[in-house]
Amino acid sequence: MKKIRMGNLSIGSPKWITKVMIAAALCAVITVSRILSGAAVSYAAEKKQPLKVDFCGKTATLMKDVYQWEQGSQVKIKTIEKKWGKPEKKEPGFDNGTWDYTWKKGKTSITMNNYSGTALGDVGGISIEINDKNASIYGVKVGMKKDQALKNLKKAVGSEKVIVLKEGEWPTGEDKDGCLIRLTSGSGEATGDKEVIHVAMGPYMPMQIELTAGGKVKKIYYMNS
């Protein structure tokens, strides 16, 4: 049987399984923390933090505010299509009646589900993997120097939501209403000398920007569900 590929990983391969297990565990931790605290999913941040992604020279807003995801911040899939055109792939989603839309070019892949939990047609789960210059987030693109990437990120989301750690470490910080509002340190053990930039994304997993040994952006990864 031919293996399905997600980005540079084959679904079912040891590396893919490890990646999915880590992501699932992190999502579970975040979910449990919300339940235990009895907090809402959203946090009224002083400044909105939209998720804007440039794909093939055209910028689209995937979330109006990552801190107000369940407060009318949803974006319609049709709105994304007006910016980026029809997706390269459309296939049935996990839930009946839902669909997954994938825009892909080169080594960049962006997938969105059309169910946010409130209504069909809204952007729900998002998976972004950028390995070339066909896309950028918050003005950060593959090949950019670390200092410039940090400058762009801090301008877009605030310096308190950005932290640089060694690969293998995971960011920790100040939490309010189930949302990370400040990154202060790292936990876990480093598995190598290369660095990773982490960006707080509300109640979801932080965005990760992998750097090369020479200090340039190698890969941008973000996922929520």
Side-chain angles (χ1 to χ4, degrees), residues 108-172:
T108 288
S109 179
I110 303 171
T111 298
M112 286 172 274
N113 184 269
N114 72 332
Y115 182 56
S116 65
T118 57
L120 282 173
D122 292 339
V123 174
I126 299 172
S127 177
I128 301 173
E129 189 168 337
I130 302 173
N131 292 284
D132 57 21
K133 296 183 179 181
N134 284 311
S136 63
I137 303 179
Y138 296 140
V140 177
K141 56 186 178 181
V142 170
M144 180 176 284
K145 292 183 178 180
K146 171 185 172 182
D147 288 346
Q148 185 62 54
L150 288 172
K151 182 179 179 180
N152 292 356
L153 289 169
K154 290 176 180 179
K155 181 179 180 180
V157 307
S159 59
E160 73 280 1
K161 296 176 185 175
V162 181
I163 194 170
V164 181
L165 300 172
K166 294 291 186 181
E167 54 184 344
E169 296 179 320
W170 189 253
T172 58

Side-chain angles (χ1 to χ4, degrees), residues 2 5 22 33 35 45 50 55 67 83 94 106 128 130 147 160-161 169 180 184-185 195 199 202:
K2 183 179 180 180
R5 297 190 67 82
I22 292 173
S33 66
I35 294 172
F55 178 69
Y67 285 90
K83 290 284 187 177
F94 181 76
I128 301 173
I130 302 173
D147 288 346
E160 73 280 1
K161 296 176 185 175
E169 296 179 320
L180 274 173
T184 57
S185 59
E195 294 181 317
V199 183

